[in-house]
Amino acid sequence: MTESVKPVASTWCAGCGDFGVLAAVKKAAAELKIAPHDEVLVGGIGCSGGIHNFLETNGIHALHGRLLAQAIGVKLANPQLTVIAAGGDGDGYAIGMGHFIHAFKKNASILYIVMNNETYGLTKGQPSPTARLGYEGNIENPFDSILTALSIPSHNFIARTFSGDPKTMTAVLVEALKFNRDGKGFAFVEDLSPCVTYNDTFKEWREKVTDVAKLPGYDPTDRKAMFRLCLETMESGKIPIGIMHRPANGEGAADSLELKLLPDRTGPARADITLEGNRAAYDKLLQRLT
Amino acid sequence: MTTPAARTTPFVAEASPAKEVPSKELTDVAVMIGGQGGDGTLTVSDQLGRYFRKRGLHVYSCRNVLSRIRGGHADASVRACRAPTAAMKPEVDLLLAFDEEAIEIGLAELASDGLVMYDSTSFQSKVPNSFGFPFAMTAGSQLGRPIYKNTIAYGAISVLMGFDPVVARSVLEEKFGKRGGEALEKNLKAFELGRAAALERPELARRWTVLDGDAHGWVLTTGNQAAALGFVVGGGRFFAGYPITPATEIMEYLARYLPAFHGVVRQAEDELAAVNMIIGAAYAGARVMTSTSGPGLSLMTEGIGHAATAEIPIVVADCQRVGPSTGEPTRHEQSDLSHLANLGHGEYPRFILAPGTVDDCFHMTADALNLAERWRLPVILLLDQALCQNTVTTKPFEMTGVAVDRSNFLTSGDVANLPKYAAYQLSENGRSPYAPPGTPGVLAQITGNEHNEMGHVSVNPVNRVKMMRKRMEKMVHARNELPGPHLFGDASARVGLIGYGSTFGPIREAQAELAEGGVPTRFYQARTLFPVPVDTLGKFLDEVDVAYVVEHNYTGQFARLIREALPHHHAKLRSILKYDGFSFRSPEIVRVLRGGPA
Ligand SMILES: Cc1ncc(C[n+]2csc(CCOP(=O)(O)OP(=O)(O)O)c2C)c(N)n1
Ligand code: SF4
Ligand SMILES: [Mg+2]
């Protein structure tokens, strides 16, 4: 056996919500028997983004806000890899917002987990885009990722989970990863992942989270219905969690970016680039010049 | 076109004009076509270029357009000559003007014995040696659409320059034959209308004869196309970019070429995404590139530094234009070098390569991929607008000299034989072999944070020093692998010229003119700009008394880098600078070397 990199012990504060995500990602990968060398974890910048160091898998630490662009690059270069991007709410919804919106539209089969703690943990507690009014002097309205995600017409998997409920979270991640591995497209999971140091919302969130699947009218294939359901839940002072959207059976079956580009899943990283293997094709290409 | 008879008789027989002036033979001719954007100045330039190429001539053409699709002055110039060229002729022989403004602008470029042909539909020119033809009016009345004025003008020029009408027609047949039917028929008619009109002017007909050349089999291309092709043959398979003049065509060509090779081209949402997408793809093991220009380069800067520290091999083609800010999007400059040499916060290695010809663009793009992967760092391909977009005839690209060097890449077989795999293993020369994700049996952690050999974050001061040295010293150890200069001219000359990028063409022509005038020069065409090639450049400077660094910027950016790297040669260096948005013309260089003002 060739010795290579091993996970390090986590550096998170005791009780940090991100531990729930770490545990759930491990369990989901194990359940799906994903070989560690075939998995890539793209971490954002923030406390949450350090997760790739704590997992027995390949990791790449992206720039702040750019993890989705890098993760999509990885997936398109080698569609056979399981690609998980994971970072914070500041990373994803502030500095990375442009890529966030475009990721739904692009629809590459990667899983994106945002650990939402309504704050910037690593830089010590400034308001993030999801921070509520009044938090650390915040006077801007909080952003809601699920409503935004539901508004983008694309064949994505959209869900919200809660770190305080790792069992449900694991189940959702398994579904999301299956969606990816079937080449169906982008899976987005926002995990409510409290920052116990700068914004401890554990107790409040435990009381407020509401599983949408148990609400009347739940139908994750119907965006309109889910938008209304989520909005009404929020208006009643609760936080909707659960699978918010997945395409109906058969819908958007091969709508993922990588399958549109690379139907046989052999991507740029696995292409034959030897001169011998391409001699005839290169000659033809150069002959196109006149 | 002046008589009703001519208008209704498009196909006139070859008639010998009454008083024929003896034809002047030309071996080097340039035509400038000016009008409003949307007038189709490029159409005439294209038709002339195609004709000249059929006559075995070398062709160089450029365009001057504003950054909008319609309206505003636009012009295109085409040069044909018997000797290979990579520059526009200093003065044009013929100015074809579709409006009055085009005459005003074009006169500055016109040779003293040059001619003007213009569209007299709405004005009469008093400029000497100008010949008016109602191109637009004739096109409208005879062919139903004023845009055929282009081909009418082509017909008139064909008479002036003594073109073989059969060959001149075949240009149109090839160009419009595909579209069939009406387009071809109308263009042929337009051509004949133009011919007939010119044949009626004895002082014009066959005034010039452009002599044939022997450049048969040469191909027409641009630096952007050559770079795209070089990327493919160098094993490049992933490209992400964001549209920006003058870089966009690289993306457009690759969008056509790459799908046949399991390659991917993506137009990203911005340059931040573009550079980070190629970083992700390179991490996964693909050979990658992005192309951009000034404003996009600024946005990519963070990513380029990240790639250097995380040791991810990327190639960034910077197609320079006038900066800063949006500057002049369609105009030429070489003013990004200082930025690139110091690119980003912190300190990190990078190679800056500067192709000077389309052939360089082809081969050096492939080289850049090898160098990036071998040394795991960003390689900048420094291009400029003229090199990117001007079209030039060149010998067909040859695969000799193209190599795909994957010696830094570990396969599963390689890693199985290693006791240990560390993505950032320290080594003598700073290189660490790399196994991409998906390689069975091994894992890697890749990060832009300072890290230890395994890729774990580390702020240990001893490790920091080791890692800094590992990365920075790549620029020393790789020195002999970087593209060497091309040297031209008289190897014993005491006067040197130093240039890079598209100044290659004007410098070569200036050298020829100077040699004729008894001033021998030697030319160091720098193809690696950073790290400054101190060995070859130092030797060059040792052997000359004075060296002129020719570049398109205000501050003499390359000269400054040379002074910093070779301070003892400080006093020998002079700068010849131009930053008005246009390429050098050889006389601008010649004048300075003859003691004129810079
Ligand atoms: C371009 C850039 N700007 C700012 C920073 C500093 N920075 C590091 S993490 C962070 C915010 C992290 O918040 P979030 O993404 O919510 O992650 P968390 O720590 O809460 O998990 C910021 C602003 C940076 N690394 N890069
Ligand atoms: S600061 Fe907050 S987010 Fe960061 S590790 Fe500690 S608890 Fe978690
Ligand atoms: Mg946060």
Side-chain angles (χ1 to χ4, degrees):
Chain A
M1 255 312 259
T2 311
E3 183 194 340
S4 65
V5 72
K6 291 267 176 306
V8 294
S10 108
T11 47
W12 290 323
C13 307
C16 175
D18 297 349
F19 282 109
V21 179
L22 180 64
V25 169
K26 275 188 198 165
K27 278 198 198 124
E31 191 172 326
L32 292 170
K33 299 194 175 60
I34 300 169
H37 69 263
D38 280 332
E39 182 184 328
V40 172
L41 207 129
V42 186
I45 298 290
C47 295
S48 45
I51 189 169
H52 65 98
N53 286 305
F54 318 142
L55 284 162
E56 179 134 20
T57 173
N58 292 294
I60 173 170
H61 205 184
L63 284 163
H64 192 30
R66 312 296 160 220
L67 80 179
L68 280 174
Q70 293 195 6
I72 291 167
V74 175
K75 185 69 183 181
L76 295 182
N78 185 355
Q80 290 165 24
L81 296 171
T82 297
V83 181
I84 304 173
D89 47 323
D91 191 287
Y93 308 152
I95 195 165
M97 179 57 109
H99 311 310
F100 178 66
I101 303 280
H102 281 266
F104 292 93
K105 172 181 171 296
K106 287 190 168 86
N107 206 28
S109 301
I110 61 168
L111 167 60
Y112 179 33
I113 305 170
V114 171
M115 290 166 248
N116 179 9
N117 52 14
E118 295 186 2
T119 187
Y120 285 5
L122 192 66
T123 49
K124 302 190 188 299
Q126 301 79 16
S128 79
T130 46
R132 62 198 68 187
L133 289 166
Y135 172 75
E136 292 293 327
N138 179 36
I139 52 169
E140 295 183 21
N141 297 309
F143 166 77
D144 189 87
S145 65
I146 298 294
L147 294 181
T148 304
L150 284 170
S151 76
I152 304 167
S154 187
H155 297 116
N156 315 126
F157 179 99
I158 301 167
R160 180 183 275 141
T161 56
F162 174 45
S163 272
D165 179 3
K167 217 173 123 205
T168 313
M169 186 181 183
T170 305
V172 169
L173 291 187
V174 167
E175 288 304 304
L177 284 169
K178 277 191 194 155
F179 185 80
N180 286 164
R181 282 154 66 87
D182 291 343
K184 288 186 173 167
F186 182 56
F188 167 61
V189 178
E190 179 184 271
D191 185 62
L192 299 172
S193 174
C195 167
V196 291
T197 304
Y198 297 108
N199 191 26
D200 191 352
T201 48
F202 254 122
K203 193 164 161 282
E204 182 200 326
W205 281 352
R206 198 176 291 287
E207 284 159 13
K208 285 188 175 170
V209 291
T210 302
D211 185 352
V212 283
K214 297 195 178 119
L215 297 177
Y218 174 73
D219 177 1
T221 65
D222 181 349
R223 278 174 189 277
K224 227 191 318 183
M226 292 309 292
F227 195 91
R228 174 179 284 275
L229 205 62
C230 287
L231 206 58
E232 282 172 0
T233 308
M234 289 160 72
E235 280 167 3
S236 69
K238 301 281 187 193
I239 304 171
I241 61 167
I243 295 175
M244 307 299 183
H245 181 68
R246 61 192 316 169
N249 266 345
E251 191 195 350
D255 195 42
S256 68
L257 189 61
E258 77 279 6
L259 288 187
K260 284 185 202 164
L261 293 164
L262 305 158
D264 66 358
R265 295 184 197 232
T266 301
R270 293 271 168 94
D272 174 13
I273 63 166
T274 60
L275 293 180
E276 307 76 64
N278 289 284
R279 183 91 46 195
Y282 289 167
D283 284 346
K284 223 170 105 191
L285 181 69
L286 295 178
Q287 275 158 19
R288 276 164 64 169
L289 285 183
T290 52
Chain B
M1 265 180 280
T2 46
T3 65
R7 281 194 201 146
T8 49
T9 319
F11 297 94
V12 284
E14 208 68 11
S16 264
K19 50 175 177 85
E20 197 173 324
V21 202
S23 190
K24 186 170 137 197
E25 292 187 338
L26 299 177
T27 55
D28 183 1
V29 64
V31 183
M32 178 174 174
I33 304 109
Q36 290 291 299
D39 269 353
T41 51
L42 276 174
T43 309
V44 187
S45 153
D46 176 62
Q47 287 165 2
L48 290 172
R50 286 174 191 244
Y51 177 83
F52 290 133
R53 291 186 59 220
K54 283 178 179 287
R55 310 304 312 196
L57 291 163
H58 296 273
V59 168
Y60 186 86
S61 61
C62 62
R63 58 193 172 160
N64 167 28
V65 289
L66 294 177
S67 186
R68 53 185 183 191
I69 302 302
R70 265 202 85 83
H73 173 81
D75 58 65
S77 299
V78 55
R79 175 188 197 175
C81 52
R82 289 180 110 186
T85 182
M88 193 34 72
K89 201 177 172 190
E91 294 181 316
V92 299
D93 302 288
L94 174 68
L95 170 64
L96 171 65
F98 287 111
D99 60 18
E100 225 169 339
E101 189 187 4
I103 298 190
E104 273 160 38
I105 292 171
L107 278 182
E109 312 262 325
L110 194 66
S112 52
D113 59 349
L115 302 180
V116 180
M117 240 187 217
Y118 70 97
D119 191 337
S120 59
T121 301
S122 51
F123 73 100
Q124 290 293 324
S125 171
K126 294 190 179 59
V127 170
N129 287 324
S130 64
F131 300 87
F133 294 88
F135 293 128
M137 194 180 81
T138 310
S141 65
Q142 301 288 305
L143 299 164
R145 279 181 61 199
I147 196 64
Y148 290 111
K149 66 187 175 186
N150 292 310
T151 305
I152 300 179
Y154 170 62
I157 293 174
S158 79
V159 171
L160 166 73
M161 296 200 183
F163 286 4
D164 177 336
V166 177
V167 178
R169 261 181 228 121
S170 73
V171 164
L172 300 174
E173 280 152 8
E174 280 162 29
K175 195 170 163 188
F176 299 103
K178 277 174 260 156
R179 284 192 246 159
E182 199 187 330
L184 176 60
E185 189 198 317
K186 290 244 166 123
N187 274 288
L188 285 174
K189 244 182 181 170
F191 175 74
E192 298 305 337
L193 284 168
R195 271 174 52 76
L199 283 167
E200 278 174 27
R201 311 278 278 268
E203 71 278 31
L204 266 189
R206 283 188 218 87
R207 183 156 174 154
W208 296 332
T209 302
V210 184
L211 296 183
D212 289 353
D214 59 6
H216 294 289
W218 286 45
V219 296
L220 192 69
T221 190
T222 60
N224 276 347
Q225 185 176 30
L229 289 167
F231 180 68
V232 179
V233 301
R237 291 294 181 270
F238 188 93
F239 181 97
Y242 187 76
I244 187 165
T245 306
T248 312
E249 293 94 0
I250 296 182
M251 176 161 71
E252 289 171 344
Y253 282 119
L254 287 173
R256 279 198 259 154
Y257 302 155
L258 275 186
F261 297 94
H262 286 105
V264 166
V265 174
R266 297 313 301 148
Q267 180 178 317
E269 58 270 32
D270 55 32
E271 286 88 350
L272 303 169
V275 74
N276 282 285
M277 282 171 83
I278 67 166
I279 286 171
Y283 158 81
R287 289 194 160 198
V288 306
M289 180 166 78
T290 184
S291 67
T292 188
S293 191
L297 180 68
S298 293
L299 292 187
M300 289 183 183
T301 299
E302 187 195 26
I304 296 170
H306 176 75
T309 300
E311 301 199 39
I312 297 170
I314 62 170
V315 175
V316 177
D318 175 23
C319 304
Q320 297 172 96
R321 65 187 208 185
V322 171
S325 182
T326 319
E328 296 180 15
T330 57
R331 294 273 165 90
H332 176 72
E333 203 163 88
Q334 298 179 315
S335 53
D336 293 352
L337 179 59
S338 296
H339 173 56
L340 287 165
N342 298 291
L343 199 66
H345 63 278
E347 296 165 303
Y348 60 83
R350 83 285 321 253
F351 303 150
I352 304 174
L353 312 185
T357 60
V358 288
D359 204 64
D360 275 350
C361 288
F362 177 73
H363 284 101
M364 289 172 68
T365 306
D367 291 344
L369 292 169
N370 286 331
L371 287 166
E373 188 175 293
R374 258 176 83 74
W375 295 91
R376 286 177 61 187
L377 45 60
V379 176
I380 312 290
L381 266 181
L382 189 63
L383 310 177
D384 56 56
Q385 186 275 332
L387 182 59
C388 288
Q389 294 188 312
N390 293 352
T391 53
V392 62
T393 40
T394 189
K395 270 205 191 110
F397 296 127
E398 280 179 23
M399 292 296 294
T400 30
V402 177
V404 174
D405 169 9
R406 300 224 90 179
S407 55
N408 205 50
F409 219 66
L410 295 173
T411 63
S412 49
D414 299 332
V415 291
N417 296 322
L418 294 174
K420 179 175 160 186
Y421 165 62
Y424 298 107
Q425 185 143 36
L426 292 165
S427 65
E428 294 274 297
N429 56 12
R431 282 179 51 203
S432 334
Y434 179 65
T439 307
V442 290
L443 301 176
Q445 287 289 345
I446 296 298
T447 175
N449 281 53
E450 189 56 277
H451 44 258
N452 59 24
E453 287 184 284
M454 281 307 201
H456 283 137
V457 174
S458 166
V459 291
N460 177 307
V462 176
N463 177 75
R464 166 70 179 171
V465 171
K466 282 186 185 158
M467 283 295 164
M468 275 299 282
R469 287 200 175 144
K470 164 188 178 4
R471 290 190 297 265
M472 295 303 285
E473 286 169 13
K474 290 177 186 178
M475 287 194 290
V476 178
H477 297 297
R479 208 151 239 166
N480 293 334
E481 293 181 15
L482 302 178
H486 285 160
L487 299 169
F488 299 93
D490 184 338
S492 62
R494 304 301 299 173
V495 176
L497 287 156
I498 297 170
Y500 58 94
S502 69
T503 59
F504 169 84
I507 292 177
R508 292 289 293 130
E509 301 206 351
Q511 278 195 293
E513 284 163 49
L514 286 160
E516 250 171 57
V519 183
T521 58
R522 57 170 109 182
F523 168 33
Y524 180 101
Q525 184 214 338
R527 302 194 312 144
T528 296
L529 305 188
F530 194 87
V532 175
V534 285
D535 296 343
T536 55
L537 200 47
K539 181 170 178 291
F540 181 85
L541 288 170
D542 280 341
E543 293 171 0
V544 296
D545 299 327
V546 58
Y548 294 86
V549 186
V550 183
E551 49 186 330
H552 283 282
N553 53 59
Y554 181 89
T555 49
Q557 299 189 1
F558 190 41
R560 273 164 50 206
L561 280 183
I562 300 171
R563 284 200 174 93
E564 194 180 301
L566 296 162
H568 55 292
H569 285 304
H570 184 282
K572 285 185 182 177
L573 293 165
R574 312 265 185 284
S575 278
I576 301 182
L577 304 171
K578 184 170 180 179
Y579 42 86
D580 64 357
F582 287 92
S583 293
F584 277 107
R585 300 285 156 98
S586 53
E588 295 169 318
I589 299 165
V590 171
R591 201 182 309 134
V592 179
L593 268 72
R594 289 209 178 121

